[in-house]
Amino acid sequence: MKLIENLNWRYATKKFNPVRKVTSEDLEKLKEAVRLSVSSYGLQLYRILIISNEEVRQQLRKESWDQAQITDASHLFVFCNCTNNYGNHVDDYIKRIEDATGENTEELINYASFIKSNIDNMSILERQSWTEKQTYLALNNLLIACAELKIDACPMEGFDNERYNQILGLDEMGLNAAVIAPVGYRHFDDAAIKNPKVRKPSDLLFINV
């Protein structure tokens, strides 16, 4: 099973090679892996910014505890959860189902109403938490795809999301920066390369019922 081998290979890269870049071909593969991620109801209530602009990344680094990964990696993925117009997102999703299946049934109409009702019944904080969690599902697909392609990545929560929102104009887009991931290639003298992968043993992690 190559997946296990790849997961053992990957780690949260702390120092990237600032010269080596992810090819456009591999970048498209990463995008497709993220696009195919699971999400609640299949709605995908998020957008992903892929940032290569050096000037923008310099600004974002200041709001990320001055962590070098932000500027030294090949690209910076910013996973953003949607913050408004949920009904429109549901309608768009149903339209995509209709386009894919050629069907326009009462069952689909009822399904849309069911989803909208569930979202409307959430509090603001519940909706925020729910949509932010969806971005982490998409992030996981990115990390696994990176490992398969032997591309390094570092999932990060250490950033000021309000400043990210301001710098990237996310508020106006109905988005919120939830989690980020620089991707690229490890520097040969990244100290974290030598760290053993430390995880709980199976008997402490899994409970058979």
Side-chain angles (χ1 to χ4, degrees):
M1 189 175 182
K2 269 288 190 181
L3 175 61
I4 301 301
E5 179 182 329
N6 293 334
L7 293 178
N8 273 299
W9 172 86
R10 71 153 302 276
Y11 71 102
T13 304
K14 304 303 182 185
K15 187 174 183 179
F16 284 87
N17 180 343
V19 176
R20 191 177 177 190
K21 304 298 181 183
V22 175
T23 66
S24 57
E25 179 182 0
D26 281 345
L27 188 62
E28 289 302 315
K29 292 176 182 177
L30 296 181
K31 289 164 62 177
E32 183 65 2
V34 172
R35 190 183 72 84
L36 294 173
S37 173
V38 299
S39 69
S40 185
Y41 299 118
L43 286 174
Q44 296 177 289
L45 290 175
Y46 47 77
R47 299 286 300 277
I48 301 97
L49 279 68
I50 303 175
I51 304 174
S52 56
N53 183 283
E54 295 297 334
E55 182 178 340
V56 173
R57 289 202 287 170
Q58 286 291 346
Q59 295 180 61
L60 296 177
R61 176 171 172 169
K62 295 175 183 177
E63 312 303 335
S64 311
W65 305 349
D66 196 35
Q67 296 179 86
Q69 298 100 307
I70 304 298
T71 52
D72 289 351
S74 174
H75 294 76
L76 175 64
F77 281 65
V78 181
F79 291 80
C80 308
N81 59 294
C82 297
T83 60
N84 58 28
N85 296 325
Y86 301 107
N88 291 343
H89 288 293
V90 175
D91 290 338
D92 291 343
Y93 173 56
I94 297 300
K95 180 62 165 59
R96 287 193 292 273
I97 295 177
E98 292 174 347
D99 291 343
T101 63
E103 298 179 357
N104 185 354
T105 65
E106 183 177 351
E107 183 178 351
L108 278 178
I109 295 173
N110 293 336
Y111 184 48
S113 297
F114 168 76
I115 297 173
K116 290 177 182 178
S117 176
N118 284 347
I119 295 175
D120 289 342
N121 287 333
M122 295 180 186
S123 69
I124 293 175
L125 288 178
E126 286 172 335
R127 278 195 294 268
Q128 177 181 328
S129 174
W130 175 57
T131 54
E132 286 182 351
K133 287 176 181 177
Q134 304 307 305
T135 67
Y136 284 78
L137 296 173
L139 168 67
N140 191 59
N141 268 37
L142 173 68
L143 299 179
I144 292 173
C146 279
E148 180 169 333
L149 293 171
K150 294 298 186 287
I151 295 172
D152 290 290
C154 183
M156 299 169 66
E157 295 178 312
F159 67 98
D160 185 333
N161 78 300
E162 291 186 1
R163 287 291 296 137
Y164 265 59
N165 293 348
Q166 293 170 8
I167 292 170
L168 299 172
L170 297 179
D171 291 326
E172 293 80 2
M173 299 168 63
L175 297 171
N176 168 68
V179 65
I180 63 176
V183 303
Y185 297 94
R186 63 190 68 176
H187 197 285
F188 71 90
D189 66 352
D190 182 5
I193 292 177
K194 301 175 183 178
N195 295 340
K197 186 176 288 291
V198 179
R199 298 292 189 273
K200 288 182 177 180
S202 291
D203 61 333
L204 292 182
L205 186 60
F206 299 101
I207 301 174
N208 296 318
V209 179

